[in-house]
Amino acid sequence: MVAAIEALPTAAAITLQYAPAYPLARARAHTYQALWQHIHPQLRGDRLLAQGVQRGPLVARYLQALRAEALQEHTTTADEEAWLVQDWLAHDGPPAP
């Protein structure tokens, strides 16, 4: 749901919050505006590189996967994210988006 909302132009995402015919979409858009847009991984690219992630597009893939984990509340600390990165490095990388 987050990816779908983020793919919308900003005006469309804001307008979605006021769509009376679509209460579920309205609720999701409100939750995105209030909460989901503010959730990001605690680790940054430099830390991923230090852990052994290869420089380039793979760093973005790891960051996207870490954000997905944070959105699902599977990780809440930088240490948990670092452990997850090490696990992914040992097992063919993060899950596909």
Side-chain angles (χ1 to χ4, degrees):
M1 177 56 75
V2 171
I5 293 173
E6 288 180 341
L8 294 172
T10 303
I14 292 170
T15 302
L16 189 58
Q17 292 183 68
Y18 303 100
Y22 304 100
L24 182 58
R26 190 174 66 235
R28 295 285 197 258
H30 176 73
T31 302
Y32 175 81
Q33 289 291 333
L35 177 66
W36 294 336
Q37 72 173 336
H38 304 292
I39 296 176
H40 299 284
Q42 294 186 33
L43 297 184
R44 300 289 179 236
D46 59 339
R47 176 86 181 265
L48 296 178
L49 294 171
Q51 283 191 258
V53 175
Q54 187 177 13
R55 184 177 301 275
L58 198 53
V59 172
R61 186 170 157 214
Y62 272 77
L63 290 171
Q64 289 171 343
L66 285 172
R67 183 168 186 229
E69 294 293 328
L71 284 165
Q72 295 175 33
E73 299 180 1
H74 293 165
T75 59
T76 57
T77 68
D79 288 340
E80 290 173 342
E81 290 179 357
W83 180 88
L84 195 55
V85 168
Q86 288 303 314
D87 187 57
W88 289 338
L89 284 169
H91 299 98
D92 300 325

